Amino acid sequence: METPLVRSLNFHHLAIESLLTLSCLVVLSCLQLRPSTECRDFYDFSLQQREAKLRTSPVKEQLALYECGMYQEPPTDYAGDIAAGGEKIISPVLDQLKAESSETRQDFIIHIFEELALKKHLRGRRDVADQLEKIVSAMKNDDIKRKSERKLQVIQNNL
């Protein structure tokens, strides 16, 4: 049987837990990583200026700006713009994919290969598809892995 004192202590305990949880959520929301200066500067440009900058930037910078865009709200997908670089971007993008440890970012990069395949830049490049398949098969996060597998299927269907 609960006494009024026990009920009061339970209520206070619950109230304190709720306040602590709420405080943690507020602090975490304030600690979100801010985009880099390069990213903020890029998104200060007009759409036309961003597209021109993307086209004239080295592949490594294009990838950084692409990743930045994928974290914008709403996300901005420049995978097709990067893929317009054609066959010459395959090697540096594949190198970046192999070096990437984040499965989310790996999935973003695989999307560029999906766009390359749709633009017919991966015709006959079974070697690239095999390397992508190896990376996707090693993914641990089931949701990301499923998304990447769908992209890989598009790639394989357009070799």
Side-chain angles (χ1 to χ4, degrees), residues 42 45 48-62 65 81-82 85 88:
F42 180 70
F45 294 149
Q48 294 79 12
Q49 289 172 315
R50 286 195 304 261
E51 289 171 352
K53 170 123 174 94
L54 201 62
R55 278 192 303 275
T56 59
S57 296
V59 174
K60 194 154 183 83
E61 186 177 344
Q62 288 179 352
L65 295 172
D81 297 281
I82 295 172
K88 71 179 191 285

Side-chain angles (χ1 to χ4, degrees), residues 1-158:
M1 177 182 217
E2 267 188 16
T3 66
L5 178 61
V6 170
R7 241 180 285 141
S8 174
L9 287 175
N10 284 340
F11 175 76
H12 285 2
H13 181 72
L14 181 63
I16 289 171
E17 281 183 357
S18 298
L19 285 172
L20 285 174
T21 302
L22 183 60
S23 298
C24 287
L25 290 174
V26 168
V27 168
L28 287 176
S29 70
C30 294
L31 293 178
Q32 290 179 358
L33 295 178
R34 290 186 37 81
S36 68
T37 302
E38 177 186 56
C39 178
R40 287 192 308 272
D41 291 347
F42 180 70
Y43 279 90
D44 284 342
F45 294 149
S46 70
L47 179 61
Q48 294 79 12
Q49 289 172 315
R50 286 195 304 261
E51 289 171 352
K53 170 123 174 94
L54 201 62
R55 278 192 303 275
T56 59
S57 296
V59 174
K60 194 154 183 83
E61 186 177 344
Q62 288 179 352
L63 292 171
L65 295 172
Y66 166 61
E67 180 183 340
C68 170
M70 295 304 281
Y71 288 111
Q72 293 293 312
E73 199 50 56
T76 306
D77 183 355
Y78 285 113
D81 297 281
I82 295 172
E87 295 175 20
K88 71 179 191 285
I89 72 158
I90 293 172
S91 183
V93 175
L94 194 55
D95 289 344
Q96 181 68 34
L97 176 61
K98 290 176 183 176
E100 185 54 65
S101 60
S102 162
E103 291 183 357
T104 298
R105 290 190 296 266
Q106 286 175 339
D107 182 63
F108 291 165
I109 295 170
I110 290 168
H111 180 48
I112 295 170
F113 283 102
E114 179 183 32
E115 291 292 331
L116 280 164
L118 291 170
K119 294 177 185 300
K120 308 299 182 202
H121 294 301
L122 292 181
R123 284 202 175 171
R125 294 300 307 264
R126 178 88 235 151
D127 61 311
V128 173
D130 290 345
Q131 291 179 67
L132 296 176
E133 190 170 2
K134 186 176 179 181
I135 291 166
V136 171
S137 69
M139 289 179 168
K140 306 285 187 247
N141 182 299
D142 290 335
D143 291 334
I144 296 171
K145 186 173 188 170
R146 267 192 300 280
K147 285 171 46 178
S148 292
E149 286 171 338
R150 286 192 297 269
K151 291 175 177 97
L152 184 59
Q153 188 62 52
V154 171
I155 292 165
Q156 290 169 333
N157 291 340
N158 286 280

